[in-house]
Amino acid sequence: MTDSSIPTFGSSQHLDDEWVYGQLCRQFTLSGEGSPHRFLKRYFGECSSSLEAQMRVVIESECFGSRKMVAETATFQSYFQHFVHEEGVRWRTATPDLYTVGRCYNEKGTVARGRPAVDGLRDCAECTKEQFTTQGIITWTRAHNLPGVRACWRHATKLRARFDFDQLPLPDPTSTQTSEAATEIELWFANVSRETLHDDSGSRRYARVLRRSVESYRWTAQLIAKGIVASYPPAILFPMDLTPRSLTAGYRSMLSKNRSIGDTRLLILLGHCEDRTSQLINGERFSEASWGAWRKAALAEGATPPRLDAWVEADRLEPFQPSLT
Amino acid sequence: MMYQTENVAKLHRGNPLIEALPAPILDRIELAKSLSRGPRTTLKTLMEDPPKLRVHNLVALKTLFLAKPECLDIAEAMDLALREFYVPKNPMSPEGQAYRYGLAANGGSEPQEFADTELGCMFVVGESGMGKTTTIRIALQRYPQVIRHSAYMEIELPITQVVWLSVEAPTGGSTVTLQHSILEALDKALGLTGTKYAHAPKSTKSLERDKLTSLVVQLLRTYAVGLIHIDDVQSFCGSTAGKKALRRFLVRLTNLVQVPIILAGTPESLDFFAGSFEVARRACSLGAFELERPEGPEDPIFDALVKYLFTFHLVETPLTVDAHTLRVLYELSKGVTSVLRTLHVEAQKIALRAAKAGPAKLELRHYKEAHELLLTLHGQLDELDGTATKLGSKRRK
């Protein structure tokens, strides 16, 4: 802080899985300052509207604890460490900004456009209500704000998003709207992302997948598309225009729409589908048991759930049941 | 940080904001002792100086204060209000945390709404010099002004609690200035030297006014302010706009922050309550107290006051308290506490100067001479003649 005589408001109290940005927002609320700009200027000597710059100053001020402690417990460092530090990867070297804001870089190593990680500030309405009821404090949690995560891993509902990050808002605990159920793939992805965040085993399995896959995602897409086509008789696929060409195009489209999250999303996905990928590469047909994972993969590739459901019905397969553990 | 474990009411247990306060004084005599003030240095020590030098020691008697029954009532009411209003703000409860973050209005439990005719205030009225400010400030000083919590029952609790703030109503009755006074008092309590809260813009534009109020409201929540004392509220009664503005501000403050406010003022401040003490009594939900002027020399309170004062003297031969002395002293002071104390100190000054090197003897004429010296007060004191001492029945015009 710029003025050592400024007392703590008490917001340095660390909450479970709280993002450092959440701590900043709570601090702002307790300060009573009407303007985030004035608040940042006054307490941190920083008036930049860039979230990265703000976070940098806040962490360097050590008002929420030592830099190391904050980086480990209140940023996305432990998540990204699974993907970086590997030579030969065409990702930019990890930076504090990457850790604190959760913004990803695309495969070309350039920073993605958009504000913080194009998905905005995300919270689960149910979690927020729960926080309010049990603790009286609401904040932003890391698990909800990981790149590409759009579902709550606990409540299996879609996350809410807002983009006014420069206003240092806190989630709204009063919403009476019923939360929409998340899709299986969203839920699965949220779970895997959270596990990755809390996985401090030092595993590099995501990094291995990264090295192999980022370079060749288009090739992988083609393989996936070919695999799907090979698994289903033309009578089902062709009326829906599901050809290797159209599937690959859809895959690319998905990546270009989510440039900031595409890589990470894909990497985790592929990390879990590693076996399936090798099956594809070997030109194996899908077994019934591998259907669930493939369904997720296909959904992630842009195939719509109704289409997949139609396939499930046609083949009398059991719908995929995601595991919350 | 030490928390009280004994003499804590059941409803207050587990609330660090209350347990950090000194235990309530349950015995009225003990309370009177804790509120009354004598000289800090023993009289025996002060008497060791020769009379001419002893004159300088008389300053020690200027802080003399005898807590009257009304003072005890005020202190008790303040203590009750302080603890009562801390109950829902327990930071160990979700409601208490929601209060800190100003979330109660948005979700969860709604704050208690005070009706427009009712204020979450306590009102203390009395003639100037009757000890309103002294009573309230001494009662407030029983509590530490700032308590810094770090952990409670092994749970992290980094909260700074400001137990009370005392401000003077600004001349001219501007609520913007009043809010700045509150911020200044907060700065002072917290010992802020650099970036201060009181640096908020002093604009009268409605948007800035609202921002200022929001700042004040949030900081009162953030620092869990327990009591606010606003002195000399008669400053607001000069204009209808001033009265309305203060009323609006107080209603807003008590509704949003739920902090008990102690208003203190002279009988002129009754204008704030349509000129009636009875209305004030009804309007102030936490009570209205009147520091009455003794009705005459026979009033037992006056008698006690004089006897208390006369136990503190720096002369070899003090004055004996009898009916005649009481009558003269009442005539001179009109029963106004601060005037009586000043007369007592000034009379001793005269006696000590007259004594030169020999033993000093205090006589009634010294009080009369001292009274003559208080020229500026004569007009004011004369005005008190013939006015009722009880505001409930009649007000001084």
Side-chain angles (χ1 to χ4, degrees):
Chain A
M1 295 211 176
T2 52
D3 185 342
S4 58
S5 64
I6 289 179
T8 58
F9 297 121
S11 64
S12 55
Q13 195 174 6
H14 192 73
L15 303 176
D16 188 37
D17 197 32
E18 187 176 22
W19 182 13
V20 65
Y21 177 77
Q23 286 179 295
L24 183 69
C25 294
R26 288 200 290 127
Q27 189 91 353
F28 169 61
T29 305
L30 289 175
S31 77
E33 290 283 356
S35 147
H37 179 88
R38 199 160 63 197
F39 163 75
L40 291 165
K41 177 88 179 161
R42 183 170 164 182
Y43 292 103
F44 300 101
E46 174 64 51
C47 56
S48 169
S49 59
S50 144
L51 187 61
E52 287 91 337
Q54 288 171 5
M55 288 284 107
R56 206 181 302 132
V57 173
V58 168
I59 292 171
E60 279 170 10
S61 74
E62 300 202 328
C63 64
F64 299 129
S66 73
R67 264 174 265 190
K68 186 173 180 291
M69 191 271 280
V70 170
E72 285 171 0
T73 60
T75 72
F76 302 110
Q77 177 177 302
S78 58
Y79 172 84
F80 283 111
Q81 73 184 6
H82 292 278
F83 307 108
V84 294
H85 306 305
E86 284 285 322
E87 288 181 11
V89 176
R90 283 203 300 157
W91 275 36
R92 274 178 73 155
T93 314
T95 69
D97 292 349
L98 177 77
Y99 294 157
T100 53
V101 180
R103 182 185 291 185
C104 295
Y105 294 82
N106 62 26
E107 73 280 4
K108 288 179 184 168
T110 54
V111 69
R113 287 180 187 173
R115 284 299 175 186
V118 296
D119 291 332
L121 299 167
R122 278 152 286 150
D123 79 300
C124 163
E126 298 302 318
C127 286
T128 301
K129 271 184 210 163
E130 211 169 278
Q131 274 181 348
F132 183 75
T133 316
T134 58
Q135 299 176 68
I137 303 177
I138 46 178
T139 190
W140 302 104
T141 53
R142 289 186 302 166
H144 291 155
N145 285 280
L146 288 165
V149 170
R150 295 196 180 93
C152 172
W153 63 279
R154 283 185 62 215
H155 295 100
T157 51
K158 280 189 193 289
L159 298 177
R160 301 181 296 187
R162 56 193 293 175
F163 296 86
D164 55 345
F165 73 95
D166 54 342
Q167 295 303 308
L168 302 182
L170 284 173
D172 176 14
T174 60
S175 171
T176 50
Q177 271 189 325
T178 316
S179 305
E180 199 182 331
T183 62
E184 290 166 6
I185 188 72
E186 284 170 336
L187 186 55
W188 170 81
F189 187 76
N191 266 307
V192 174
S193 299
R194 182 178 161 275
E195 283 166 18
T196 311
L197 175 71
H198 295 293
D199 179 4
D200 54 0
S201 64
S203 158
R204 289 280 177 271
R205 70 176 173 139
Y206 296 111
R208 282 202 309 276
V209 177
L210 164 81
R211 193 166 54 207
R212 196 174 68 215
S213 309
V214 166
E215 298 283 348
S216 57
Y217 73 92
R218 287 186 180 81
W219 174 72
T220 313
Q222 285 172 353
L223 281 177
I224 291 170
K226 278 180 189 167
I228 290 174
V229 172
S231 303
Y232 288 88
I236 296 175
L237 295 181
F238 291 127
M240 291 187 278
D241 195 26
L242 282 175
T243 63
R245 190 187 176 88
S246 65
L247 281 172
T248 308
Y251 184 92
R252 283 179 181 167
S253 163
M254 183 198 81
L255 286 179
S256 67
K257 277 181 193 162
N258 297 291
R259 290 183 70 81
S260 70
I261 62 161
D263 291 347
T264 314
R265 192 182 174 90
L266 177 66
L267 292 172
I268 294 181
L269 178 67
L270 291 177
H272 280 255
C273 294
E274 202 168 0
D275 296 341
R276 306 292 94 73
T277 312
S278 60
Q279 278 182 351
L280 268 179
I281 293 167
N282 297 330
E284 293 171 16
R285 282 176 65 87
F286 304 139
S287 64
E288 188 171 314
S290 64
W291 163 248
W294 266 107
R295 186 169 186 270
K296 288 180 293 186
L299 278 166
E301 307 304 324
T304 59
R307 280 181 180 174
L308 290 173
D309 289 339
W311 299 345
V312 170
E313 203 176 341
D315 288 357
R316 293 183 183 172
L317 294 172
E318 287 296 316
F320 170 64
Q321 293 298 323
S323 162
L324 287 179
T325 56
Chain B
M1 179 72 235
M2 292 291 288
Y3 294 99
Q4 293 290 336
T5 49
E6 287 175 11
N7 282 337
V8 180
K10 282 203 167 53
L11 201 59
H12 298 165
R13 285 184 191 162
N15 187 333
L17 298 181
I18 299 177
E19 289 185 7
L21 300 173
I25 300 174
L26 307 172
D27 185 85
R28 294 269 289 185
I29 295 169
E30 286 302 312
L31 183 62
K33 280 183 189 168
S34 81
L35 293 177
S36 298
R37 291 284 180 273
R40 287 180 185 174
T41 317
T42 58
L43 291 177
K44 197 180 169 189
T45 311
L46 299 175
M47 283 289 285
E48 285 169 3
D49 286 328
K52 278 194 174 176
L53 201 56
R54 219 183 295 159
V55 172
H56 296 276
N57 293 340
L58 284 170
V59 72
L61 305 187
K62 286 189 174 177
T63 54
L64 291 179
F65 178 76
L66 175 67
K68 294 184 284 185
E70 297 96 320
C71 303
L72 306 187
D73 295 341
I74 292 168
E76 280 177 340
M78 281 166 61
D79 191 65
L80 278 174
L82 176 67
R83 292 171 205 271
E84 178 193 328
F85 276 68
Y86 267 146
V87 169
K89 297 173 189 172
N90 184 356
M92 305 309 286
S93 72
E95 294 78 15
Q97 286 292 356
Y99 164 84
R100 285 190 76 221
Y101 284 89
L103 296 170
N106 302 331
S109 55
E110 282 294 317
Q112 175 196 351
E113 285 285 337
F114 290 103
D116 189 41
T117 51
E118 192 183 275
L119 292 169
C121 294
M122 183 188 297
F123 185 53
V124 179
V125 66
E127 301 286 355
S128 178
M130 288 309 296
K132 301 178 294 298
T133 308
T134 312
T135 302
I136 294 169
R137 292 209 172 138
I138 288 177
L140 288 175
Q141 281 159 9
R142 289 175 53 224
Y143 312 99
Q145 193 176 12
V146 177
I147 301 170
R148 295 183 198 277
H149 301 261
S150 55
Y152 177 73
M153 296 172 82
E154 297 180 358
I155 296 171
E156 192 186 9
L157 187 72
I159 287 180
T160 302
Q161 174 186 5
V162 176
V163 181
W164 54 268
L165 293 173
S166 179
V167 296
E168 284 196 18
T171 319
S174 153
T175 51
V176 171
T177 318
L178 175 64
Q179 290 176 76
H180 271 275
S181 302
I182 292 175
L183 293 179
E184 274 167 12
L186 192 60
D187 285 336
K188 194 175 165 195
L190 294 168
L192 296 186
T193 51
T195 310
K196 293 178 177 180
Y197 293 124
H199 284 182
K202 267 190 183 177
S203 173
T204 51
K205 287 180 184 169
S206 64
L207 187 66
E208 288 300 324
R209 267 207 313 264
D210 287 349
K211 277 185 188 168
L212 180 64
T213 306
S214 301
L215 175 68
V216 172
V217 163
Q218 182 54 54
L219 288 175
L220 295 178
R221 286 169 179 269
T222 298
Y223 290 108
V225 175
L227 278 171
I228 300 177
H229 165 220
I230 303 176
D231 207 11
D232 292 333
V233 280
Q234 67 273 10
S235 303
F236 277 96
C237 298
S239 71
T240 313
K243 278 185 279 184
K244 274 188 181 172
L246 178 64
R247 193 177 180 84
R248 218 170 25 237
F249 174 68
L250 292 179
V251 168
R252 197 164 172 206
L253 208 59
T254 46
N255 275 339
L256 290 174
V257 189
Q258 305 242 315
V259 59
I261 297 170
I262 307 160
L263 300 172
T266 59
E268 283 79 12
S269 56
L270 281 173
D271 277 346
F272 189 64
F273 302 100
S276 159
F277 186 70
E278 286 310 309
V279 175
R281 201 189 298 278
R282 285 196 299 272
C284 293
S285 59
L286 302 177
F289 302 88
E290 182 188 347
L291 285 175
E292 294 169 19
R293 198 156 51 84
E295 288 176 347
E298 304 81 20
D299 192 315
I301 297 292
F302 186 72
D303 181 71
L305 206 59
V306 171
K307 281 178 179 161
Y308 177 76
L309 276 179
F310 277 37
T311 53
F312 300 100
H313 57 81
L314 297 182
V315 292
E316 279 76 6
T317 315
L319 191 64
T320 319
V321 181
D322 55 23
H324 176 65
T325 312
L326 285 173
R327 197 169 58 251
V328 173
L329 287 177
Y330 188 84
E331 273 171 25
L332 297 176
S333 68
K334 300 290 188 282
V336 177
T337 320
S338 65
V339 175
L340 188 63
R341 188 177 50 219
T342 308
L343 287 175
H344 184 55
V345 172
E346 293 302 318
Q348 289 183 70
K349 238 182 236 179
I350 296 165
L352 285 169
R353 279 179 187 144
K356 295 178 184 171
K361 187 183 178 189
L362 194 56
E363 293 172 25
L364 210 47
R365 65 184 171 89
H366 295 138
Y367 286 85
K368 290 175 182 171
E369 283 176 40
H371 178 258
E372 291 304 314
L373 295 172
L374 303 176
L375 277 176
T376 49
L377 286 179
H378 288 179
Q380 303 276 343
L381 291 172
D382 289 345
E383 270 188 34
L384 294 175
D385 260 343
T387 60
T389 52
K390 286 201 175 187
L391 296 166
S393 53
K394 190 181 166 188
R395 275 193 59 223
R396 180 166 63 89
K397 297 290 176 190

